[in-house]
Amino acid sequence: VLKFNEKGILEAGKDADLLLIEKKSFEIRDVIAGGRLMIENGKLCIREKFLEESNRKIELRGAKYKEGN
């Protein structure tokens, strides 16, 4: 319907964002988006320019997933 012929396939010449997560914990391990490595081994690799002049504080909250919960 939307005809995104370059989406949804990992193949040369196609567009794809990739999210790798840890199997047991579901923690984000690596993210490649827009052809850029964004997160590697759970660590942020990029910092967007608009954040350099921002005084905003960003916090992530929530319980960490524990197997058996």
Side-chain angles (χ1 to χ4, degrees), residues 7-51:
K7 302 291 183 187
I9 298 172
L10 290 176
E11 184 178 291
K14 303 289 184 178
D15 293 337
D17 293 339
L18 190 60
L19 169 68
L20 300 176
I21 60 172
E22 293 292 335
K23 185 175 183 177
K24 290 184 179 182
S25 66
F26 293 102
E27 289 182 298
I28 295 173
R29 165 117 189 200
D30 299 293
V31 176
I32 300 171
R36 296 172 59 195
L37 184 61
M38 308 295 246
I39 297 175
E40 183 175 30
N41 293 321
K43 306 265 189 241
L44 189 61
C45 295
I46 57 114
R47 181 164 175 88
E48 297 295 340
K49 286 192 179 264
F50 75 90
L51 291 175

